[in-house]
Amino acid sequence: MLDSCSREQELLDRLGLGQQPQDELALHVASCPSCGELLLVAGAIFEDATTAMRHAPIPSSGGVWWRIERRAREEANRTATRTVSAVQIGTVFVAAAIAVILLGGLPTLAGWIATLDLSLPTNEASKFWSLPLLLGLATLLTLAPVAIYFAVTEE
Amino acid sequence: MRVTMAMDETTLSDVRSHAAETLVVMDEETFRAFYERTARSVWAYLSRITGDRQLADDLLQEAYYRFYKLGDRHVDERHRRNSLFLIATNLARDTMRHRRHAYTVALPEEDDHSMLVVENREGARVEGRTDLARAMAHLEPKQRELLWLAYAQGASHHEIAETLGLKTQSIRTLLFRARKKLAGLLKGEVRHA
């Protein structure tokens, strides 16, 4: 059960002004367990807050602004660099894919696509694979995760 | 001076969706003025919910950086402030979770040489704050956040719910329990582990 008193806000307002309850309110607080508890807790916290704020070792606003601006700029630069790297890597992959197609020949690619039909027997499908295509794909599959990792990872 | 987090019916999620449409970078003058108004209260919040002043220093700068990255999409000062505290809360939670950070009892600010005079003159007050720090260490992180936002920041239940990712209706109960527990710890009714 929450035993609160209707005069708690009045007491808090008083404490908020940095004053202790006086006169009739002080008498009430002395006889009201809820207000007495509030005075103990809120009074202690408010006094502690006042002291903490007075002695808070905060850096100057100018210094904080300068650091924030610099950090934001550096972060923006890193983001831009990552984007450019991602685009460059994408371009390399496309170029590599084109090279593989040209080396392996379009018929090979068509044959490879045909192997995607799982209904074909394995030995039937394997004849469509050529060495350049296999090498190209293996290279792409090996380098892609590494390249993506370096492109998107922050320093 | 008390920092008041006033509220209206517009929620942070409304602000987020609005902001997604128009991202406007906060200019230097606006940022610096806002920082001057809020940095001390954010640092105090971070310091007390993590129990680590050094960590609060680091998280403060990170919180403002993330706030800056959001863009100036807040409709008014209250939304800016709420958004900042939301970021600070999430940062503190993430850091504590990842580092498996243990809450430590924060020493009073007067522990440096320049404040020894204050400590000597106001010994009772300093002792009181140390007791509070010890008691806060025995609360759950969410309870520390709740109590600080409610009593140090003067945040409404709606704002607390927004900042902590809770339902507004549950704040009253959670706050009551947290208050009860902290009162017990301060009175020595609940034994410190």
Side-chain angles (χ1 to χ4, degrees):
Chain A
M1 184 181 158
L2 306 182
D3 301 317
S4 60
C5 175
S6 59
R7 300 195 70 178
E8 285 186 1
Q9 192 54 51
E10 188 184 346
L11 176 59
L12 281 175
D13 291 342
R14 189 92 189 169
L15 291 172
L17 294 171
Q19 299 169 346
Q20 289 293 310
Q22 289 180 339
D23 305 327
E24 195 269 329
L25 183 59
L27 289 172
H28 168 77
V29 170
S31 62
C32 173
S34 180
C35 286
E37 189 180 272
L38 181 63
L39 178 63
L40 175 68
V41 170
I45 290 177
F46 181 70
E47 191 179 57
D48 185 41
T50 306
T51 308
M53 285 169 66
R54 190 183 301 137
H55 302 291
I58 57 162
S60 72
S61 61
V64 171
W65 172 259
W66 183 78
R67 278 191 290 273
I68 281 176
E69 280 274 273
R70 193 184 64 177
R71 186 174 160 189
R73 270 199 306 274
E74 287 171 356
E75 204 164 275
N77 284 342
R78 275 199 300 273
T79 306
T81 306
R82 281 201 303 273
T83 308
V84 169
S85 299
V87 170
Q88 284 174 339
I89 286 166
T91 308
V92 169
F93 283 145
V94 170
I98 291 170
V100 165
I101 290 167
L102 291 175
L103 285 171
L106 285 174
T108 308
L109 179 68
W112 176 71
I113 291 169
T115 63
L116 295 178
D117 183 358
L118 297 177
S119 62
L120 286 174
T122 308
N123 59 347
E124 183 73 16
S126 62
K127 71 181 182 186
F128 292 106
W129 293 90
S130 66
L131 184 62
L133 182 61
L134 280 171
L135 282 175
L137 281 173
T139 309
L140 279 176
L141 290 172
T142 309
L143 290 181
V146 179
I148 289 169
Y149 172 79
F150 282 114
V152 300
T153 306
E154 284 194 51
E155 290 171 17
Chain B
M1 186 186 78
R2 180 169 212 190
V3 180
T4 304
M5 295 173 70
M7 58 145 295
D8 59 18
E9 292 307 310
T10 311
T11 63
L12 286 179
S13 51
D14 292 338
V15 176
R16 283 190 206 101
S17 57
H18 171 72
E21 296 162 12
T22 52
L23 181 62
V24 182
V25 176
M26 188 179 257
D27 64 82
E28 180 176 355
E29 192 183 348
T30 309
F31 176 87
R32 289 180 64 173
F34 179 68
Y35 176 87
E36 297 284 356
R37 288 194 299 273
T38 54
R40 288 181 181 279
S41 56
V42 175
W43 184 89
Y45 176 62
L46 287 167
S47 165
R48 293 314 190 258
I49 63 171
T50 61
D52 186 334
R53 295 170 63 185
Q54 194 70 47
L55 181 59
D57 293 344
D58 297 339
L59 294 183
L60 180 79
Q61 302 221 21
E62 184 64 25
Y64 277 96
Y65 176 69
R66 293 193 186 187
F67 175 77
Y68 169 83
K69 290 277 283 178
L70 284 177
D72 193 12
R73 63 206 202 177
H74 307 91
V75 289
D76 57 24
E77 175 79 2
R78 291 167 299 183
H79 287 121
R80 275 191 189 144
R81 190 180 286 272
N82 291 347
S83 182
L84 180 62
F85 272 86
L86 175 66
I87 292 168
T89 303
N90 289 334
L91 266 176
R93 285 179 181 176
D94 289 347
T95 308
M96 300 283 274
R97 197 179 303 127
H98 288 132
R99 291 186 183 183
R100 297 183 183 280
H101 189 91
Y103 186 94
T104 53
V105 178
L107 291 170
E109 275 64 28
E110 290 82 351
D111 60 352
D112 62 14
H113 179 71
S114 61
M115 298 311 297
L116 283 177
V117 177
V118 177
E119 189 173 354
N120 291 337
R121 203 171 54 212
E122 301 179 347
R125 290 183 60 200
V126 173
E127 184 59 33
R129 279 192 288 278
T130 310
D131 282 349
L132 177 68
R134 285 201 190 99
M136 291 279 269
H138 290 85
L139 297 177
E140 291 169 21
K142 200 166 281 181
Q143 290 179 318
R144 288 197 288 269
E145 294 161 4
L146 269 166
L147 289 167
W148 196 268
L149 288 172
Y151 301 134
Q153 295 299 124
S156 67
H157 288 189
H158 179 76
E159 285 174 311
I160 295 171
E162 286 275 319
T163 304
L164 303 185
L166 301 167
K167 288 181 181 168
T168 306
Q169 298 87 334
S170 65
I171 298 298
R172 187 165 173 261
T173 310
L174 293 171
L175 193 55
F176 179 82
R177 286 184 191 148
R179 190 176 98 185
K180 204 90 182 157
K181 186 171 177 182
L182 184 58
L185 287 161
L186 288 172
K187 285 188 238 172
E189 288 170 2
V190 180
R191 203 167 68 83
H192 291 194

